[in-house]
Amino acid sequence: MREITITKREAGQRLDRFLGKYMPEASTGFLHKMLRKKNIKLNRGKAEGKEKLVEGDQVQIFFAEETLEKFCGKKETEKVRRTLNEEQLRLRSQVRTLFETEDVIAFSKPSGMLSQRADKKDDSLNDYLLDYCAERRKMTQEVLSLCRPSVANRLDRNTSGIVLCGVTMPGLQALSLLLRERLLEKYYLCIVKGCVKENRKIRGYLKKDERNNTVKLIQSPEQGAAPVETWYEVLGTAPEASLLRVRLITGKSHQIRAHLASVGHPILGDYKYGDRSVNDRLKRECHVNYQMLHSCEIRIPEGRKLPAEGLSGLCIKAPLPEPFVRVMRRWGLEEVRE
């Protein structure tokens, strides 16, 4: 028999989901059968699997050790390290920790790094997070597998700035709630083509083209198109470019990039939605080949009770990366200081 004591990291999830993580090689049907036959118990009593675990709960598994090892698979063995190439190591060196509690970490992601892997060979901020927890917090592979730390909000590969990550189950649940109920205030800085003269709130309907991984903005409701709303204020202007502070009121894939392009002010460096000739000039003169879009600030409202502590009323800011400042200077825009 093996007995597992639930810690704060695992608390808050259903028993059956916890068991699925602990024994990834066992089918859901098998686990529920073992619960019915009392081969798996919670606090030495019969359990159904839907019970929500709390810190201090004890799970008893009445399997032969050989059987248990088979169902646990390789997760209890030592970590398998991937070899990172020079570019991946360079990007990792640019990640900055902005905020950290037991439950949540906020990183500043550099442009060029994925938030999550698209392919097995990729490296991502999510992989960096797992390594960070293993190395800095001394979390074992077994602990990491039972409550998998993960990024909560994703940024496009070529967008820099704040990414929130849940480390414990309470942290993951708190961030999920904030994102699901749109309680986070998310602000971005961007440099766009043209002279923008006034602040504006723009609305529309965003429709995704899965084949080309792009979106388009339409003005009337249509099947498969989601309503979107973006607000921006002008921080600085020049004849050929403007610096904007953008607030995402809704949060859809490529929303800021497509929305600004739809009103004639595409983000500099954005080849998917922008002006190729302007972007080529930017690349040639400033040695920058990604869009000038930076997640600079996230605010969490006060007063909302959350599963994780230390988040209510929090404001997280990410400093501008050096290439962004370089482009601002090139186009005659004054750097923002708050």
Side-chain angles (χ1 to χ4, degrees), residues 189-207:
L189 290 175
C190 61
I191 305 173
V192 301
K193 175 186 174 183
C195 181
V196 183
K197 296 182 179 179
E198 58 184 9
N199 303 340
R200 185 179 175 187
K201 182 184 287 186
I202 48 181
R203 299 181 176 89
Y205 296 86
L206 185 147
K207 191 166 187 178

Side-chain angles (χ1 to χ4, degrees), residues 92-279:
R92 282 194 170 213
S93 71
Q94 296 177 17
V95 177
R96 297 290 178 266
T97 304
L98 304 172
F99 172 81
E100 184 170 2
T101 67
E102 181 182 358
D103 303 305
V104 171
I105 301 176
F107 291 120
S108 182
K109 181 188 80 70
S111 296
M113 176 180 268
L114 290 164
S115 295
Q116 291 181 312
R117 282 195 219 175
D119 186 87
K120 289 183 179 180
K121 295 180 180 179
D122 291 335
D123 188 44
S124 69
L125 187 67
N126 205 79
D127 295 295
Y128 178 90
L129 168 67
L130 294 173
D131 289 344
Y132 184 95
C133 290
E135 295 166 10
R136 305 278 185 92
R137 297 195 173 196
K138 308 301 181 186
M139 293 170 68
T140 66
Q141 287 306 106
E142 181 176 3
V143 169
L144 289 171
S145 67
L146 294 179
C147 178
R148 190 83 169 170
S150 177
V151 301
N153 64 306
R154 290 184 293 177
L155 296 178
D156 292 339
R157 181 177 203 147
N158 291 322
T159 298
S160 59
I162 304 169
V163 177
L164 301 174
C165 307
V167 178
T168 64
M169 188 56 63
L172 289 165
Q173 290 173 336
L175 295 179
S176 176
L177 184 151
L178 290 166
L179 289 162
R180 183 174 64 251
E181 298 190 12
R182 295 182 181 175
L183 297 176
L184 292 177
E185 291 184 21
K186 294 185 282 187
Y187 295 90
Y188 294 73
L189 290 175
C190 61
I191 305 173
V192 301
K193 175 186 174 183
C195 181
V196 183
K197 296 182 179 179
E198 58 184 9
N199 303 340
R200 185 179 175 187
K201 182 184 287 186
I202 48 181
R203 299 181 176 89
Y205 296 86
L206 185 147
K207 191 166 187 178
K208 191 163 186 178
D209 182 344
E210 297 284 355
R211 179 179 295 180
N212 297 313
N213 190 30
T214 59
V215 298
K216 67 176 181 177
L217 268 295
I218 54 179
Q219 293 306 308
S220 302
E222 187 178 304
Q223 186 174 2
V228 290
E229 194 170 355
T230 308
W231 168 91
Y232 65 78
E233 65 174 324
V234 183
L235 298 181
T237 62
E240 296 181 89
S242 301
L243 175 66
L244 307 181
R245 185 171 186 258
V246 179
R247 180 183 175 189
L248 267 182
I249 299 173
T250 56
K252 300 295 182 182
S253 179
H254 297 189
Q255 178 179 325
I256 295 175
R257 297 163 62 189
H259 224 166
L260 291 172
S262 74
V263 295
H265 298 291
I267 294 173
L268 297 187
D270 187 352
Y271 278 89
K272 185 165 284 189
Y273 298 100
D275 186 314
R276 176 166 289 276
S277 63
V278 173
N279 294 338

Side-chain angles (χ1 to χ4, degrees), residues 277-311:
S277 63
V278 173
N279 294 338
D280 285 345
R281 179 182 170 191
L282 180 76
K283 187 175 182 179
R284 185 173 60 251
E285 296 180 357
C286 298
H287 309 290
V288 174
N289 59 355
Y290 49 81
Q291 65 251 13
M292 295 292 96
L293 179 61
H294 178 69
S295 173
C296 63
E297 183 177 345
I298 287 181
R299 297 178 186 173
I300 298 174
E302 291 186 17
R304 182 63 185 259
K305 188 175 181 180
L306 297 169
E309 298 178 356
L311 300 180

Side-chain angles (χ1 to χ4, degrees), residues 19-46:
L19 292 170
K21 294 173 185 176
Y22 193 80
M23 294 179 281
E25 302 302 319
S27 69
T28 302
F30 173 81
L31 292 173
H32 279 280
K33 181 180 178 181
M34 292 299 98
L35 285 163
R36 289 194 302 272
K37 296 183 74 171
K38 299 182 183 179
N39 287 330
I40 301 176
K41 293 183 178 182
L42 177 62
N43 298 322
R44 299 193 175 275
K46 182 174 171 55

